[in-house]
């Protein structure tokens, strides 16, 4: 029998593409998309959709009952840069939505949960190079704090109540289909759009800011892969380190110049620079590669080619 899946926060950057892929795998009618609004009309009209507030426990519970949901992907969150502007809202959304889903699973109404963590759990005291799975986590952002605390609660609910919750620490995610939602790594999406539209870009991070990144296809692949693994094979119930490629704004600009020679970039670091400086420059994800055979497909050059090809179609049909 196929799973009945609910995606909370389906209109977000990752949720949009995750919904599409899960419907390809499980069938359109078996994947219910939900969000607090209907801004993404293409997704809203593509299959079952529910307007759902991730902070409303009863609404989530009723939705799960009426649609016979057994698996939840909780993708709703306020990200790092937006979270610094609205710290209490970030705490409220990021933490309470997780508790609601964990508590539903505690009653065995929900059989399996995916909840994304982030490299934001790390901080300036974390080893910056090849950051290990188990290391110091002293985040300096509200977003990072919510993810660190969320990891602890996920592991607690697994150990205490046998809740099958799975998680990965996303690096910066890059996609041509949906715009980013207020993260510190958003420059790596914006730069491609501006390269096509204007031939230039002003980066809010300095040219040598080296951060872990990932193309959306790899992020979706990782999310689906970890949810497909037998529970007994998973050794991490907080959140798995995940890695693909690491680069600087200068690196990504050079990869664009290889295809758009007239492209230029300038640098004007803002408050997001301090956030980026507190994060690792590369991640050791050997545990994920061992436990569930994680591997990435896209390097920087392939990602740039994919981004520019698809954005050219969007802006210059």
């Amino acid at each position: 029998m196929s799973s009945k899946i609910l995606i909370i926060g389906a209109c977000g950057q990752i949720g949009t593409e995750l919904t599409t892929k899960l419907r390809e795998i499980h069938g359109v009618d078996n994947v219910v998309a939900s969000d607090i609004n209907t801004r993404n009309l293409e997704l809203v009209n593509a299959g079952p959709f529910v307007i759902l507030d991730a902070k409303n426990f009863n609404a989530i519970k009723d939705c799960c009952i009426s649609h016979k949901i057994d698996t939840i992907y909780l993708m709703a969150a306020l990200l790092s840069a937006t979270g610094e502007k609205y710290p209490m809202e970030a705490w409220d959304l990021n933490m309470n939505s997780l508790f609601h889903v964990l508590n539903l699973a505690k009653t065995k109404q929900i059989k399996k949960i995916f909840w994304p963590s982030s490299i934001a759990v790390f901080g300036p005291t974390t080893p910056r190079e090849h950051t290990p799975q188990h290391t110091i986590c002293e985040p300096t952002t509200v977003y990072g704090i919510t993810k660190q605390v969320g990891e602890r609660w996920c592991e607690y609910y697994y150990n205490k109540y046998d809740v099958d919750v799975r998680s990965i620490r996303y690096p910066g995610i890059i996609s041509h289909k949906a715009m980013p939602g207020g993260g510190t790594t958003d420059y790596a999406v914006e730069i491609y759009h501006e390269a096509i539209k204007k031939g230039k870009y002003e980066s809010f991070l300095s040219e040598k800011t080296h951060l872990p990144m990932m193309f959306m296809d790899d992020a979706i692949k990782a999310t689906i892969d970890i949810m497909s693994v037998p529970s007994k094979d998973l050794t991490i119930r907080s959140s798995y380190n995940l890695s693909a490629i690491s680069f600087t704004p200068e690196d990504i600009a050079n990869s664009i110049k290889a295809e758009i020679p007239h492209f230029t970039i300038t640098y004007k670091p803002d408050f997001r620079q301090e956030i980026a400086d507190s994060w690792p420059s590369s991640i050791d994800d050997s545990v994920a590669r061992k436990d569930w055979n994680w591997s990435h497909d896209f390097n920087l050059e392939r990602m740039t080619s994919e981004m520019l090809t698809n954005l050219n179609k969007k802006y210059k049909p």
Side-chain angles (χ1 to χ4, degrees), residues 280-297:
S281 58
S282 60
I283 301 289
D284 176 359
D285 62 355
S286 55
V287 179
R289 293 176 186 269
K290 174 178 175 291
D291 284 3
W292 41 281
N293 296 319
W294 157 245
S295 64
H296 66 282
D297 294 327

Side-chain angles (χ1 to χ4, degrees), residues 19 23 27-34 41-50:
T19 300
R23 284 176 171 168
V28 171
D29 292 338
N30 290 318
V31 180
V32 178
S34 73
L41 289 177
E42 184 177 349
L43 182 138
V44 168
N45 295 326
F49 183 87
V50 177

Side-chain angles (χ1 to χ4, degrees), residues 170-184:
Y170 286 132
I173 306 295
I174 300 169
S175 167
H176 57 81
K177 292 181 181 176
M179 290 300 289
T184 300

Side-chain angles (χ1 to χ4, degrees), residues 228-255:
S228 305
V229 176
S231 180
K232 63 179 177 60
D233 292 342
L234 300 177
T235 63
I236 302 296
R237 289 296 182 156
S238 51
S239 192
Y240 278 91
N241 272 6
L242 194 72
S243 180
I245 47 181
S246 292
F247 53 78
T248 66
E250 185 177 56
D251 292 334
I252 198 170
N254 287 336
S255 74

Side-chain angles (χ1 to χ4, degrees), residues 172-232:
I173 306 295
I174 300 169
S175 167
H176 57 81
K177 292 181 181 176
M179 290 300 289
T184 300
T185 55
D186 286 0
Y187 89 86
V189 179
E190 294 172 358
I191 190 172
Y192 290 110
H193 287 263
E194 296 301 298
I196 297 294
K197 292 193 294 183
K198 300 177 182 177
K200 61 181 180 179
Y201 179 66
E202 182 174 87
S203 173
F204 56 75
L205 297 183
S206 68
E207 63 267 39
K208 300 296 184 183
T209 305
H210 204 261
L211 289 172
M213 297 284 187
M214 180 174 289
F215 190 54
M216 179 66 82
D217 289 25
D218 279 334
I220 299 300
K221 174 188 172 186
T223 304
I224 291 171
D225 283 356
I226 194 173
M227 290 293 277
S228 305
V229 176
S231 180
K232 63 179 177 60

